[in-house]
Amino acid sequence: ISDDAYGHLCTVTGATWGYQGRTFDGVNDSIALPDVSSLDITGNFTFLFWEKINAAGAYDQYEGLDAANDGIHLLTSTTEALIVRTYQAGANQQSYTTNTLTTGVWNLLGATLEGASGKIWINAVNVTTVSGNHIAPASSAGAVKYIGQSGNNTNVLNGILGEVLIYNRALSSQEINQIYNSTKWRYQ
């Protein structure tokens, strides 16, 4: 059990703590977040997180705020560097970039949703290749939220995850750039 900056107790399974973040083994490590209303995002949002992948799987899960077939997923794949999916009753829309990530290198990865427009960010640069026509994600109230894997222990992360920032609004490019510049020193 660990807690975040706001005192929410999180259940950590296997993800070991180090000076730059938590290391995920690519097998079964995860962090389960409590069901709190501030994480039930049903409109605009921003997710930002520092990560260094050790190896890319078919899909590696970073954030999963979902209840069955409703919510938000952020993941990487071997063909798209970063994907954001919003779900409603099992239907999903996705935005992604085909820029690839280099293993062993820290990156600030992110996704924003503003209205129907999804954007993908790598190191404070908008690198969106395809922006899906998103509908606001459906409520994930009552569901455990996961970092490092999907809820069914698939799409697991193999690497180190540093800071994770979640906002209930779409940050501007200037705000994302400010966060990048003020935190990158930790990940050099």
Side-chain angles (χ1 to χ4, degrees):
I1 301 273
S2 182
D3 62 352
D4 66 10
Y6 298 98
H8 302 124
L9 290 179
C10 305
T11 303
V12 178
T13 303
T16 56
W17 177 253
Y19 72 95
Q20 289 184 312
R22 291 206 177 259
T23 300
F24 293 78
D25 66 4
V27 178
N28 58 3
D29 291 355
S30 68
I31 298 173
L33 308 172
D35 178 30
V36 294
S37 61
S38 60
L39 294 177
D40 186 26
I41 298 172
T42 58
N44 296 344
F45 63 79
T46 300
F47 289 93
L48 295 171
F49 50 95
W50 281 98
E51 65 79 40
K52 179 167 69 171
I53 56 173
N54 294 330
Y59 288 100
D60 292 332
Q61 186 85 19
Y62 291 105
E63 305 274 355
L65 305 181
D66 64 332
N69 294 317
D70 298 322
I72 305 163
H73 285 167
L74 282 127
L75 50 118
T76 63
S77 81
T78 53
T79 55
E80 299 96 10
L82 185 62
I83 305 165
V84 59
R85 291 181 180 154
T86 55
Y87 291 84
Q88 309 79 20
N92 77 72
Q93 302 79 40
Q94 66 180 15
S95 296
Y96 62 87
T97 181
T98 55
N99 294 27
T100 56
L101 299 174
T102 303
T103 58
V105 175
W106 281 103
N107 290 287
L108 178 66
L109 301 179
T112 57
L113 181 69
E114 186 167 22
S117 176
K119 295 179 182 172
I120 304 297
W121 302 86
I122 299 177
N123 297 328
V125 176
N126 179 349
V127 295
T128 309
T129 303
V130 172
S131 180
N133 188 19
H134 293 265
I135 302 170
S139 172
S140 62
V144 175
K145 285 74 166 151
Y146 287 94
I147 295 175
Q149 72 169 348
S150 60
N152 59 2
N153 199 27
T154 60
N155 304 330
V156 293
L157 172 62
N158 184 350
I160 304 172
L161 192 60
E163 292 176 73
V164 176
L165 305 167
I166 303 171
Y167 297 86
N168 62 358
R169 64 184 181 88
L171 296 183
S172 68
S173 60
Q174 294 85 1
E175 290 172 307
I176 293 171
N177 193 52
Q178 180 183 11
I179 291 168
Y180 173 74
N181 285 323
S182 66
T183 57
K184 68 181 179 180
W185 64 273
R186 297 179 191 141
Y187 303 101
Q188 302 302 315

